[in-house]
Amino acid sequence: GAGVSQSPRYKVAKRGQDVALRCDPISGHVSLFWYQQALGQGPEFLTYFQNEAQLDKSGLPSDRFFAERPEGSVSTLKIQRTQQEDSAVYLCASSQRRQSYGYTFGSGTRLTVV
Amino acid sequence: GQQLNQSPQSMFIQEGEDVSMNCTSSSIFNTWLWYKQDPGEGPVLLIALYKAGELTSNGRLTAQFGITRKDSFLNISASIPSDVGIYFCAGQGGTSYGKLTFGQGTILTVHP
């Protein structure tokens, strides 16, 4: 597609529920990133893929967070046993080249845990 | 997590005025970037800076990569209503390929 597509746009989860957030990067983009943006804050890095390889997952806040990109295109961010502090906007970005900072961000998924 | 120190937190200006915002860090960065985020959207890249001392313009926007590599500023000249939004600085350092550290953002309001 023309841009990075994320779904769903909004997700309300009950505390303890598992959620899965999807990212469709721009076709052919090698690199894919996930960021978490709390209300009133800047985005914070979660994880980075180059093709299907997860090269950096240092930003994942706990072992309840898991990301995958099995075929090097679509990526899924999964959060198990959601907690209220997981409420945030989850942004996905992709770039054509390795180590490129010309990322294109998606519009994000707003997760609210109640 | 670590964030850059961005100031001011918010600005209220009249259309036509110039705007300046800056970012500082205790760590050295190899790349500085400036993004704009509209409500309900992801950040959009405005300017990228790759070398200490570099001064780059994009239309009415001008940004500089500080010589110490620990700071950057963004200027917007002759502001217009569509400049409204949240502006973020972001830096990349070391060998953390692609991983950006963002500032807290500057909320810009432009009164017509």
Side-chain angles (χ1 to χ4, degrees):
Chain A
V4 177
S5 178
Q6 292 188 245
S7 60
R9 284 298 309 270
Y10 304 93
K11 176 69 180 178
V12 178
K14 291 186 178 177
R15 194 157 51 99
Q17 188 177 356
D18 296 350
V19 298
L21 312 180
R22 177 187 169 101
C23 173
D24 277 278
I26 294 173
S27 179
H29 276 198
V30 169
S31 299
L32 185 145
F33 308 85
W34 284 98
Y35 282 78
Q36 180 190 58
Q37 186 173 24
L39 189 64
Q41 299 295 317
E44 290 199 14
F45 173 83
L46 293 177
T47 188
Y48 160 52
F49 289 85
Q50 187 173 293
N51 295 307
E52 68 277 5
Q54 189 174 20
L55 298 187
D56 187 344
K57 54 181 180 180
S58 61
L60 296 177
S62 76
D63 58 7
R64 296 185 295 104
F65 286 70
F66 172 75
E68 59 183 6
R69 193 186 186 197
E71 297 178 357
S73 56
V74 170
S75 177
T76 304
L77 176 67
K78 297 179 179 177
I79 309 173
Q80 296 177 323
R81 304 181 303 281
T82 52
Q83 302 295 314
Q84 281 194 313
E85 62 263 27
D86 300 335
S87 296
V89 174
Y90 291 85
L91 293 164
C92 177
S94 69
S95 70
Q96 189 169 19
R97 298 186 298 272
R98 300 183 182 103
Q99 302 171 42
S100 168
Y101 307 110
Y103 298 176
T104 300
F105 278 92
S107 298
T109 294
R110 179 176 295 279
L111 172 66
T112 303
V113 181
V114 298
Chain B
Q2 179 191 3
Q3 286 198 332
L4 302 176
N5 187 17
Q6 185 172 348
S7 64
Q9 285 190 320
S10 61
M11 302 183 75
F12 298 83
I13 62 169
Q14 291 293 128
E15 184 176 357
E17 289 183 357
D18 296 346
V19 171
S20 184
M21 57 193 79
N22 67 80
C23 249
T24 59
S25 170
S26 56
S27 305
I28 287 174
F29 286 107
N30 298 324
T31 303
W32 281 93
L33 305 107
W34 286 90
Y35 286 86
K36 178 174 183 269
Q37 187 173 28
D38 292 326
E41 299 297 327
V44 173
L45 182 65
L46 299 174
I47 290 182
L49 302 154
Y50 299 107
K51 196 165 59 175
E54 180 181 354
L55 183 71
T56 296
S57 292
N58 178 8
R60 294 179 296 106
L61 277 59
T62 301
Q64 184 158 30
F65 189 144
I67 291 175
T68 64
R69 295 165 64 193
K70 292 184 178 182
D71 63 313
S72 177
F73 72 75
L74 174 71
N75 287 342
I76 305 173
S77 62
S79 58
I80 58 178
S82 61
D83 291 334
V84 164
I86 305 177
Y87 291 79
F88 290 100
C89 60
Q92 185 274 336
T95 57
S96 52
Y97 299 127
K99 174 181 176 180
L100 298 181
T101 300
F102 280 80
Q104 304 98 318
T106 295
I107 301 170
L108 179 63
T109 303
V110 179
H111 294 287

